[in-house]
Amino acid sequence: MTTHTVAPAQDTPTTGPARGVRRTRRRPTLTVYTWLVLAWLLLPIAVMILFGFNDTHSKVNFTWQGFTLTWYRHLFAIPNLTSALVNSLTVALVVTVVATLLGTPIGLALGRHRFRGRGSVDLLLFAAIAAPEIALGAALLSLFIVLGVPRGYWTVVIAHVAFCIPYVAITVRARMAGHDPTLEEAARDLGAGPWTAFRLVTLPMLLPGVASGALLCFALSIDDYVITSFNAGRTVTFPLWVYSASRTGVPPQVNVMGTLIFVGGLVIAGANVLFSRRRAA
Amino acid sequence: MERAVRTDLPVLTRRRRRPGPVLAPYLLVLPGWLWLAAFFVTPVIVMVSLSLQTGDFIDGFRQTFHFRTYADVVETYHVQLVRSLVYGAAATTACALVGYPVAYWIAFRAGRHKSVFLFLLLLPFFVSFVIRTQSWNVVLADNGVVLGPLKHLGVLPADFHVLATPYAVIGGLTYNFLPFMVLPVYVALERVDAKVIEAATDLYASRAGTFWRVVLPLSLPGVFAGVLLTFVPASADYVNAGILGGPSTTMVGNIIQTEYFTNLNYPAAAALSFVLMGALLLAVFTYARALGTDDVLEAAAR
């Protein structure tokens, strides 16, 4: 790396910048700014966690009344909130399994085969991701209305699988793009059958992509409000419950559940990092 | 460019040597494709057909190819349609202005802590979208933790409020979609070759000159991808308008929901949904055609 002397004297050419970007003057403005934006992003999370400990005496959880652990103890005191959470979790699980099973092969096909109609499959995935959620929800609702299908738990599952498939396919395809096809060929030259070559060479390489696609799916499904609200009928999921409660007052249990889901997500993400570190080592 | 060369050649030569299962890709694609055909393509067609029907909920709807509905909904709801696009554009602009420096800082200044900052950026996604928006309701409440003390001290007049104003809705949209802007911009900045920057400096470009004439143009694909990823969901969103807004900030999404569920006017609701989807998709495809879809899809998959 060259070090010219355009920079003023107080400039310390700090060692080890990841990119070879020359640091002329080190002004803290941008650093402070970035921290402020991050604080802004994290503020609602802090509010959620804090108000889960709020010693409020009514359903209205707007002002700080004091610290309590009551809401952690009475987490499941609101029966329909609990069932909404259960609905969200089970829907997300079913959706993850089905969408991963359907989306992974698409990603695989797009990643390693050239075939007629490849472009149109690509276009379909792109359209499904680019279309506004509300249009997807409204379109499905129209279908169910015209067919006279009552909306409920399973129409939510169907809708979620439809919007999750493209995300899984694209995640897996991205993973395939970095894959060297000659590896599988080498395995076949060494006498492995197509299935063995796939199982021993392609699949292990593919799995992290499948795993992140599945996680993405779970996260998208458990969090979705828009498409769910259009196709849920009388079934209530966690986001739907919170939205309707936002008019009258969100009870602290919602904050507690939100906090627990948050912590659960962090644990999974942490485990993921550790797991991939260990694999890399 | 490089990628095309890399994937094309080996596949072609391999094909010739070993014809292989020609059907394999079709069999792989088929199940998922069928699902998307049944629950994405067909519904859109059905929605269009529903929008061309007339009748009412009690007596039933009949296919009459009544195109007037489109003119009617646009005429009745053009305020909300335009408002949605304006709010979406405002939130997208705000995301770009707020997010670019953050992406820049993480790409060039965060050093080996980059992944930590990216993780902090993604942290909000571990909390439900609706809860996050609802939390702003708590923060910005008329007598809440922020406005309450300020009013008490007389800094703000007692009738000052943020909720139910366009600022609250656009602020909420900006908040919710900011990471969708920062990530693609970060990816683009991260790809900027350090040698190019060095070359600019060697040629006596100033810091600002290097940024405006080298770094910014090279990061524009990321900004374009970010604009797509924020503009579409922000314009079509109705959660922010529903939770943080009021009667004067209603967006087209809220109208579509009301038409479907309260008024049971399915043709109007379907027509309005299709207008929104058509407008946004048209914008997206024009945009993507001009700039390439790969970056967008890649960013979307993150």
Side-chain angles (χ1 to χ4, degrees):
Chain A
M1 204 196 309
T2 51
T3 34
H4 293 273
T5 45
V6 200
Q10 79 266 27
D11 173 36
T12 43
T14 35
T15 48
R19 327 271 306 168
V21 180
R22 181 131 15 92
R23 285 124 192 258
T24 37
R25 268 159 301 153
R26 259 190 155 293
R27 277 175 296 199
T29 331
L30 207 53
T31 311
V32 173
Y33 172 83
T34 303
W35 277 108
L36 284 176
V37 173
L38 285 173
W40 176 60
L41 278 178
L42 302 179
L43 176 68
I45 303 177
V47 170
M48 171 190 79
I49 297 173
L50 189 68
F51 279 73
F53 295 108
N54 189 15
D55 193 10
T56 176
H57 294 288
S58 67
K59 249 173 75 178
V60 187
N61 192 16
F62 264 52
T63 46
W64 183 250
Q65 309 280 332
F67 181 89
T68 180
L69 284 172
T70 316
W71 313 116
Y72 280 79
R73 249 177 272 132
H74 302 290
L75 182 55
F76 301 116
I78 308 170
N80 49 10
L81 174 60
T82 306
S83 65
L85 185 69
V86 171
N87 280 343
S88 273
L89 286 168
T90 57
V91 165
L93 274 176
V94 175
V95 166
T96 302
V97 172
V98 178
T100 306
L101 286 176
L102 294 176
T104 304
I106 298 185
L108 199 60
L110 289 176
R112 70 168 188 176
H113 294 282
R114 321 232 120 216
F115 55 98
R116 228 171 220 290
R118 189 175 186 272
S120 58
V121 174
D122 239 349
L123 188 72
L124 180 67
L125 297 182
F126 181 67
I129 286 186
E133 264 193 284
I134 186 166
L136 253 138
L140 263 167
L141 173 63
S142 304
L143 177 76
F144 294 137
I145 287 173
V146 167
L147 295 180
V149 176
R151 271 81 68 202
Y153 191 89
W154 292 105
T155 50
V156 170
V157 170
I158 286 172
H160 283 202
V161 170
F163 80 72
C164 281
I165 288 175
Y167 285 97
V168 177
I170 283 165
T171 315
V172 171
R173 188 186 68 168
R175 181 80 197 171
M176 283 305 292
H179 170 54
D180 186 354
T182 52
L183 284 176
E184 213 177 312
E185 223 174 290
R188 305 216 46 193
D189 286 347
L190 293 169
W195 173 243
T196 315
F198 176 79
R199 193 169 51 89
L200 295 180
V201 178
T202 314
L203 195 62
M205 200 263 353
L206 202 63
L207 275 180
V210 177
S212 59
L215 278 178
L216 185 63
C217 225
F218 189 85
L220 287 172
S221 167
I222 202 164
D223 196 27
D224 182 77
Y225 173 79
V226 175
I227 293 179
T228 315
S229 78
F230 273 82
N231 294 289
R234 285 207 198 98
T235 303
V236 178
T237 63
F238 187 57
L240 296 196
W241 200 95
V242 177
Y243 185 88
S244 63
S246 75
R247 275 139 216 287
T248 49
V250 176
Q253 277 93 341
V254 166
N255 294 48
V256 175
M257 284 175 182
T259 306
L260 294 177
I261 294 175
F262 177 66
V263 172
L266 287 187
V267 169
I268 292 173
N272 202 17
V273 170
L274 282 181
F275 182 65
S276 53
R277 280 234 180 102
R278 190 174 280 180
R279 279 185 75 105
Chain B
M1 207 67 88
E2 197 184 25
R3 188 191 288 171
V5 175
R6 225 196 297 140
T7 51
D8 278 343
L9 286 178
V11 174
L12 280 178
T13 49
R14 196 176 52 169
R15 267 296 122 73
R16 214 162 292 148
R17 195 157 61 93
R18 178 171 58 85
V22 185
L23 274 179
Y26 295 102
L27 292 176
L28 287 171
V29 165
L30 194 67
W33 184 87
L34 281 177
W35 195 289
L36 287 177
F39 300 117
F40 172 58
V41 180
T42 315
V44 172
I45 297 168
V46 170
M47 182 171 80
V48 174
S49 128
L50 185 59
S51 72
L52 299 173
Q53 296 185 3
T54 40
D56 57 59
F57 182 69
I58 313 280
D59 300 326
F61 296 96
R62 276 186 310 119
Q63 194 74 55
T64 50
F65 296 98
H66 185 80
F67 285 93
R68 263 305 300 199
T69 311
Y70 279 85
D72 289 345
V73 290
V74 171
E75 204 181 302
T76 316
Y77 298 118
H78 67 275
V79 176
Q80 286 85 353
L81 268 168
V82 172
R83 187 184 286 147
S84 298
L85 298 178
V86 169
Y87 284 11
T92 306
T93 312
C95 281
L97 293 178
V98 173
Y100 195 98
V102 174
Y104 183 91
W105 188 87
I106 298 179
F108 291 126
R109 301 277 194 82
R112 55 198 182 81
H113 297 298
K114 271 179 201 171
S115 54
V116 176
F117 285 98
L118 288 175
F119 181 70
L120 286 176
L121 199 67
L122 289 176
L123 220 46
F125 290 121
F126 287 84
V127 174
S128 173
F129 176 66
V130 178
I131 293 191
R132 270 183 282 144
T133 313
Q134 163 59 27
S135 282
W136 279 112
N137 218 349
V138 177
V139 175
L140 300 174
D142 289 355
N143 287 307
V145 282
V146 178
L147 298 190
L150 289 176
K151 283 179 184 177
H152 190 71
L153 292 171
V155 181
L156 293 171
D159 59 349
F160 181 87
H161 62 95
V162 180
L163 289 178
T165 66
Y167 302 108
V169 180
I170 295 172
L173 292 171
T174 308
Y175 168 79
N176 275 314
F177 297 112
L178 185 72
F180 292 102
M181 178 65 82
V182 177
L183 288 179
V185 174
Y186 164 79
V187 171
L189 284 169
E190 174 72 357
R191 278 194 201 138
V192 174
D193 194 335
K195 288 188 199 113
V196 185
I197 298 170
E198 220 166 283
T201 330
D202 285 350
L203 294 168
Y204 299 106
S206 64
R207 266 167 66 98
T210 309
F211 176 74
W212 285 108
R213 297 175 62 186
V214 179
V215 178
L216 183 65
L218 284 173
S219 67
L220 281 183
V223 178
F224 291 141
V227 167
L228 279 190
L229 291 174
T230 47
F231 180 65
V232 173
S235 308
D237 178 77
Y238 63 96
V239 175
N240 282 278
I243 294 180
L244 302 171
S248 63
T249 58
T250 312
M251 290 170 75
V252 70
N254 308 79
I255 304 284
I256 293 174
Q257 207 197 19
T258 315
E259 287 289 352
Y260 268 115
F261 295 107
T262 313
N263 302 344
L264 301 173
N265 188 353
Y266 299 145
L272 204 51
S273 310
F274 192 66
V275 168
L276 178 69
M277 180 166 117
L280 291 175
L281 277 188
L282 197 69
V284 168
F285 275 103
T286 323
Y287 203 81
R289 202 164 183 92
L291 303 155
T293 56
D294 278 1
D295 285 339
V296 181
L297 281 181
E298 218 173 278
R302 254 151 220 285

